Amino acid sequence: MSTLASTFTGLHFENPFLLASAPPTESDANIMRAFDAGWGGVVTKTIGLHPVVNVAGPKTKFLRAMPDSSRLSMQKQPGSALHSSWNWELISDKPLDWWVPRIARIKSEYPQKILVASIMAGSGSDDELRNWQQLAVACQEQGADALELNLSCPHMDRKDMGSNIGKDPELVSVVAEAVKEVARVPIWAKLTPSTTDIVVEARGAFLGGADAISSSNTFPSLPLIDPDTLEFEMNVDGLVSSGGLGGPAILPLSMAKMAQLTAAFPDRAFSGIGGVADFAHALNYILLGCGTVQVCTAAMLDHAIGPNLIKSLLAGMQREMDKHGWATLEDFRGIRRDRVVVHSKIRRPDSKAYHGGYEAEGYA
Ligand SMILES: Cc1cc2nc3c(=O)[nH]c(=O)nc-3n(C[C@H](O)[C@H](O)[C@H](O)COP(=O)(O)O)c2cc1C
């Protein structure tokens, strides 16, 4: 009999599927509904020390591909297919004080489920590094099973916050080290995909003491311009700013990041995120070496916390395991990691005519 139960960063998971840090996990009510629905764990909406103020107007919209043209639009049309989510939502608008008693309550009611607290602070000074520590200690004291460091929020003007930390391997390392100093629970570093070589930032995170890498957060992007109005489909007073793309469009992009990571650190722990809406999508991340998989966009579109989605993930993965005779996740985790190779390793019709781009055939 196969089981989806597994261990990741030393924590026991009933199943490897988590709701990612985002609106589905923005409240205790949502999180408890998610646990009832069957999610093995959740990562809370990112918690900070200071209240945030979001933009005036919608924070998230969904881009759709029209059925009978190549138009992509955020306007809903019958028969359209989801292309992606686009958001410029900041971290939780509830302060740490609001979260503290709720983390305790959730854990006391669902002790067997995994509750990961996502935290974020600035990193420009020792005082700010102490803010990371304060957040970490407050959440773990209430029973959070792990901490996810948000080093990847793409909507930051500050150079020492969110994805701007994630682009700087030294800052990544410094923040991870500061949190590790006080952490009694595993720490996961959520990195931005918006860098040249994510392996460099991941190395910084591991050097600082991170126990796992979560990837990807949303990809920095803009909404499209409506050809009729000439306005961005999401704007405030005609203006837009950096936001994040999630959902189906980022699955292949995020897989490429994950393939780089798991190849570079085959013995480390990874949590795959990006574009998962079906067990087959989640399977991709596990075959590349991930031990857990997180979901946001697809859950937002399924009754806010994905009750149908988690059922289909569980049933689909169980069927797949039975079909292949896999007893646990470890039987198939990472078995396609080594299939991602440099271009010159891909067979050519005539191998003698191929010179790796150094001679006649061009710049392969
Ligand atoms: C509206 C919205 C808000 C989000 N807020 C956070 C956040 O507070 N912290 C965080 O680490 N990631 C946040 N994310 C990113 C998601 O956790 C996830 O990494 C991303 O959406 C990719 O997964 P998906 O393709 O399943 O949506 C947010 C995403 C969306 C769409």
Side-chain angles (χ1 to χ4, degrees), residues 20-23 45-46 60 85 87 89 150 190 216-218 246-247 250 273-275 295-297 300:
S21 174
K45 175 80 189 158
T46 299
T60 310
S85 60
N87 88 88
E89 174 176 293
N150 183 342
K190 186 169 179 181
S216 292
N217 204 316
T218 49
I250 72 165
I273 322 174
V295 185
C296 166
T297 297
M300 287 178 79

Side-chain angles (χ1 to χ4, degrees), residues 233-349:
E233 283 198 305
M234 253 173 115
N235 69 75
V236 174
D237 307 328
L239 302 178
V240 289
S241 190
S242 169
L245 198 75
I250 72 165
L251 173 61
L253 302 173
S254 180
M255 276 178 64
K257 294 287 172 188
M258 195 45 81
Q260 277 182 278
L261 288 166
T262 59
F265 307 101
D267 301 325
R268 294 295 197 149
F270 293 94
S271 190
I273 322 174
V276 172
D278 182 76
F279 91 90
H281 305 153
L283 182 65
N284 276 282
Y285 286 109
I286 297 171
L287 292 174
L288 287 176
C290 293
T292 54
V293 176
Q294 303 185 30
V295 185
C296 166
T297 297
M300 287 178 79
L301 291 169
D302 172 25
H303 300 86
I305 55 106
N308 299 305
L309 176 59
I310 181 59
K311 283 179 189 62
S312 82
L313 287 174
L314 294 173
M317 195 60 79
Q318 197 80 60
R319 263 198 319 275
E320 184 74 4
M321 290 173 72
D322 293 342
K323 186 170 90 190
H324 292 281
W326 295 325
T328 72
L329 205 111
E330 287 309 305
D331 291 344
F332 61 107
R333 192 174 65 79
I335 63 173
R336 286 294 173 267
R337 184 174 48 215
D338 298 338
R339 296 289 181 94
V340 185
V341 294
V342 292
H343 223 273
S344 53
K345 290 249 165 71
I346 305 293
R347 184 168 58 80
R348 313 283 146 165

Side-chain angles (χ1 to χ4, degrees), residues 147-160:
L147 301 163
E148 188 177 82
L149 315 185
N150 183 342
L151 309 172
S152 47
C153 180
H155 330 304
M156 297 288 147
D157 287 352
R158 279 185 60 168
K159 290 283 170 250
D160 61 335

